[in-house]
Amino acid sequence: MQSDALVLFGATGDLAKKKLFPALHELVRRGKIHDMPIVGFASSDWDTETLRQHALEGIKQYGSHFDQDAYDKLAQMLTYVRGDYRDPASYEALKTALAGAERPTFYLAVPPSLFATVVENLGSSGCALGARVVLEKPFGRDLQSARELNKAVLSVFPEESIFRIDHYLGKEAVQNLLYFRFANSILEPVWNRNYVRSVQLTMAESFGVQGRGRFYEEVGALRDVVQNHLLQTIGLVAMEAPSGIDGESIRDEKEQLFRAMRPLTPDDIVRGQFRGYRDEEGVAPDSDVETFVAVRLSIDSWRWSGVPFLIRAGKSMPVTATQLVVEFHRPPVRVFARDDDDYHRTNYVRFRLGPDEVSVALGARSKAPGDDLRGQPVELFVCTEGPDEVDAYERLIGDALAGQRLLFASQQGVEATWAVVDDVLYNHPPAIEYEPGSWGPKSADRLLPPNDIWHEPGPIF
Ligand code: BG6
C-alpha cells in the first residue's frame, strides 16, 4: 500500500541535497507522488523556507532536469521540524507535523551511529505504528554491530516494513546484470568454473573524499563500497537462477551465494591510501584508513570453485568508472599461431556499470581484412542506457513508498556480506600510500592469478 507521508531524518545533510531531493523532484515530475506531507527533520536551526532553498539548490545542481512546476509542487509538500534525535519530545512534534498520516515512511539519512536511537524513539512515541523505515548503508560497522542493529530495528518494525537501501541495487545497469543473465540462454552453459577463468570488478573514482573525511575515517573503502555495493553486484553475477522475480526468490539465491563466499583473510586483501588523504579535514594525521582496497574472493560452490573473483575500489584513481569483466579460459590450441600475444585477452563479457556509459560488450577476435589469416580484437557492443533513465534513488524511494521490497537488502543478506569481510576489517596489512591519479599500490598485483593483469575500464584488449 502507498505511504501517505515521508519523513527525512537528516534533511539538512549532503545525501538529502545530492540524492534525495533530486529524486523526490523526479518522482513529483513523473506524477508518482502528489499531495503528500514530506517532513524534513534535523537538528539545525532552520525553518521550512531554508529547507526549500536547500532542496532547490540540490535539485538544480545534482538533478537531471529542472522543472519549475514539479519543484513548486514539491515545495508545497515540504515542512521542516527542528529536533533532537535523542529527545522524545521532538518525536511528539514530528507526530503533529504528520497530521494523522497512517502509513508514513521514515527515511534515515543520518550517521549510522544514530539509527538505533531514532528507531527506538519512533517506537516509543507511537510514530512507528503502520509505518515503514528506510535505512541507509553502511548497516552496522561489522557483523556483530549489524546483528545488534537488526535486533534493535526488528524490535520496533517487522521485517516487511524495513527497507535497507543499497543504491547500487536500484541502478539500471546493475539490474541489467540480473536481466541479461537470465533472459538469455547463451550465457548459462559457459557461466561456470569450466569456462570462466576469472571475474574482475573495478569501481574507480577519480575524486578523493570530497569533504567527507570525518565519515570516511569511520568507514574506509571496504565498509563504504565493498561489503555492500560490490558484493551485491557479485551476488547478481554469480547467483543461481531465481525461481521468479519476486524479491524473496532473488534474495534467497543471493544469500545462498553470499554464504558460499569464503571469508577474506589478510592474504586476500591489499589496502592503499592516496597521498594527501591525511591532510583532509577530520582525518587523523597518522590515519591507516584505506581509500583503496583490492580483494581476491573465492566462492566455494559447485559452479564457482577455483575461479578468482577480483574486486578493487578506490578514490583518486585515474578515471571514474565501474566495470565488471568475466574472462573466459584461453582457447586450448593456438590455431592462428601468427596472431599476437594478446590472443587470449579477447574472450570475455564486459559490463560497464556507469557512470557515463552503461553497456554490455562481448570481446572476441575476428579476422582482420587482408590476405593473411590474422586476427584483430573486436567487441560486440550494446549500449543499454536510455535517454530518460530513472536514477537509483528515485527508483528506490518510489519503491519504498509503494512497499515494493524487491530491490532492498534482507537482514540475512546484510549479515552474510559482513561475515565475508569481518575478519579483515580488523586484521589486515597496513594501507600503502599511492599517488593520486594512479591505480593504487602496485602490490595489488599479488592478488592476481599468474600472468594476469588488472583490467582498466574499457575494452580489455
Ligand atoms: C556511496 C559511497 O555509497 O557510493 C561513496 O559512500 C561513493 O563513497 C558512492 O562515492 C558511489 O555511488 P555512485 O552511484 O556514484 O557510483
Side-chain angles (χ1 to χ4, degrees), residues 5-229:
L6 174 66
V7 176
L8 299 179
F9 287 101
T12 55
D14 220 38
L15 182 74
K17 182 173 181 178
K18 289 185 176 157
K19 302 284 189 184
L20 307 185
F21 286 121
L24 288 170
H25 167 267
E26 276 302 290
L27 285 165
V28 175
R29 192 178 72 84
R30 292 184 207 252
K32 301 258 177 73
I33 50 178
H34 30 81
D35 286 343
M36 179 182 77
I38 301 178
V39 183
F41 182 105
S43 55
S44 306
D45 189 10
W46 285 19
D47 59 15
T48 297
E49 206 34 56
T50 342
L51 184 68
R52 286 180 180 150
Q53 279 311 313
H54 179 69
L56 182 62
E57 280 166 28
I59 295 162
K60 285 195 165 162
Q61 211 175 330
Y62 301 101
S64 48
H65 328 71
F66 179 71
D67 178 324
Q68 186 68 45
D69 190 43
Y71 169 73
D72 290 344
K73 286 184 185 152
L74 176 64
Q76 283 315 305
M77 296 182 219
L78 276 181
T79 51
Y80 183 67
V81 171
R82 181 190 174 192
D84 176 344
Y85 295 105
R86 296 187 168 78
D87 178 13
S90 297
Y91 294 78
E92 292 306 318
L94 186 58
K95 250 167 126 176
T96 314
L98 281 173
E102 288 173 358
R103 294 176 307 281
T105 292
F106 296 101
Y107 194 116
L108 274 61
V110 292
S113 50
L114 279 173
F115 284 179
T117 311
V118 174
V119 167
E120 272 161 34
N121 278 312
L122 287 174
S124 49
S125 61
C127 286
L129 274 182
R132 298 186 183 124
V133 66
V134 183
L135 301 152
E136 263 296 332
K137 60 145 269 276
F139 193 82
R141 288 189 50 71
D142 52 21
L143 180 57
Q144 160 98 11
S145 59
R147 282 187 177 140
E148 284 163 10
L149 183 57
N150 266 322
K151 220 166 132 195
V153 181
L154 280 162
S155 69
V156 175
F157 291 93
E159 176 68 17
E160 64 272 17
S161 302
I162 304 172
F163 293 74
R164 299 173 190 82
I165 276 214
D166 181 323
H167 79 277
Y168 259 55
L169 294 177
K171 283 182 186 263
E172 192 70 35
V174 174
Q175 290 186 6
N176 189 45
L177 288 172
L178 179 73
Y179 190 89
F180 196 83
R181 272 195 69 198
F182 298 119
N184 300 303
S185 59
I186 47 162
L187 292 184
E188 178 55 22
V190 294
W191 215 247
N192 56 53
R193 67 196 160 89
N194 296 325
Y195 291 89
V196 174
R197 170 183 151 85
S198 72
V199 178
Q200 270 194 30
L201 175 57
T202 296
M203 176 183 178
E205 293 179 310
S206 59
F207 45 86
V209 290
Q210 296 184 309
R212 295 160 82 217
R214 212 172 300 279
F215 163 81
Y216 218 75
E217 277 290 275
E218 283 188 26
V219 181
L222 190 59
R223 284 190 179 91
D224 189 33
V225 298
V226 176
Q227 178 270 335
N228 33 69
H229 301 334

Side-chain angles (χ1 to χ4, degrees), residues 390-431:
V390 176
D391 170 74
Y393 273 94
E394 180 191 344
R395 176 175 283 130
L396 294 172
I397 295 175
D399 281 3
L401 291 172
Q404 300 282 356
R405 302 185 63 240
L406 174 69
L407 300 176
F408 293 85
S410 64
Q411 171 193 0
Q412 288 89 342
V414 167
E415 290 181 11
T417 46
W418 277 120
V420 176
V421 299
D422 205 47
D423 182 35
V424 292
L425 288 173
Y426 301 104
N427 183 14
H428 50 226

Side-chain angles (χ1 to χ4, degrees), residues 158-433:
E159 176 68 17
E160 64 272 17
S161 302
I162 304 172
F163 293 74
R164 299 173 190 82
I165 276 214
D166 181 323
H167 79 277
Y168 259 55
L169 294 177
K171 283 182 186 263
E172 192 70 35
V174 174
Q175 290 186 6
N176 189 45
L177 288 172
L178 179 73
Y179 190 89
F180 196 83
R181 272 195 69 198
F182 298 119
N184 300 303
S185 59
I186 47 162
L187 292 184
E188 178 55 22
V190 294
W191 215 247
N192 56 53
R193 67 196 160 89
N194 296 325
Y195 291 89
V196 174
R197 170 183 151 85
S198 72
V199 178
Q200 270 194 30
L201 175 57
T202 296
M203 176 183 178
E205 293 179 310
S206 59
F207 45 86
V209 290
Q210 296 184 309
R212 295 160 82 217
R214 212 172 300 279
F215 163 81
Y216 218 75
E217 277 290 275
E218 283 188 26
V219 181
L222 190 59
R223 284 190 179 91
D224 189 33
V225 298
V226 176
Q227 178 270 335
N228 33 69
H229 301 334
L230 301 185
L231 288 187
Q232 289 286 345
T233 304
I234 296 288
L236 295 172
V237 171
M239 70 188 224
E240 299 300 313
S243 54
I245 55 155
D246 55 296
E248 213 166 309
S249 308
I250 294 172
R251 274 193 296 269
D252 282 355
E253 292 303 338
K254 264 197 294 176
E255 282 161 29
Q256 292 272 13
L257 182 87
F258 294 147
R259 279 193 281 271
M261 289 178 176
R262 204 181 294 169
L264 297 172
T265 69
D267 258 3
D268 301 320
I269 178 169
V270 171
R271 302 165 67 248
Q273 186 186 83
F274 67 80
R275 192 168 46 75
Y277 171 70
R278 292 178 182 181
D279 304 330
E280 294 275 339
E281 203 187 319
V283 172
D286 58 349
S287 171
D288 179 51
V289 167
E290 79 283 357
T291 59
F292 168 95
V293 65
V295 301
R296 179 185 48 216
L297 177 73
S298 305
I299 301 179
D300 291 325
S301 71
W302 193 270
R303 186 187 285 271
W304 295 117
S305 175
V307 177
F309 283 74
L310 299 148
I311 304 175
R312 65 179 175 161
K315 303 277 186 198
S316 285
M317 300 271 105
V319 293
T320 299
T322 301
Q323 172 167 295
L324 184 126
V325 175
V326 176
E327 204 182 335
F328 299 106
H329 288 302
R330 298 161 188 194
V333 176
R334 287 183 60 163
V335 177
F336 305 106
R338 279 185 299 170
D339 266 351
D340 50 20
D341 280 347
D342 57 25
Y343 189 80
H344 61 277
R345 294 227 163 275
T346 46
N347 284 277
Y348 62 84
V349 181
R350 177 169 76 84
F351 294 91
R352 178 68 175 261
L353 306 176
D356 305 324
E357 179 190 315
V358 175
S359 56
V360 183
L362 177 67
R365 282 190 85 76
S366 163
K367 185 184 167 306
D371 292 338
D372 288 346
L373 270 178
R374 275 187 181 277
Q376 63 185 356
V378 291
E379 277 197 344
L380 308 172
F381 183 86
V382 187
C383 191
T384 57
E385 197 171 25
D388 198 21
E389 198 188 325
V390 176
D391 170 74
Y393 273 94
E394 180 191 344
R395 176 175 283 130
L396 294 172
I397 295 175
D399 281 3
L401 291 172
Q404 300 282 356
R405 302 185 63 240
L406 174 69
L407 300 176
F408 293 85
S410 64
Q411 171 193 0
Q412 288 89 342
V414 167
E415 290 181 11
T417 46
W418 277 120
V420 176
V421 299
D422 205 47
D423 182 35
V424 292
L425 288 173
Y426 301 104
N427 183 14
H428 50 226
I432 301 164
E433 190 178 79

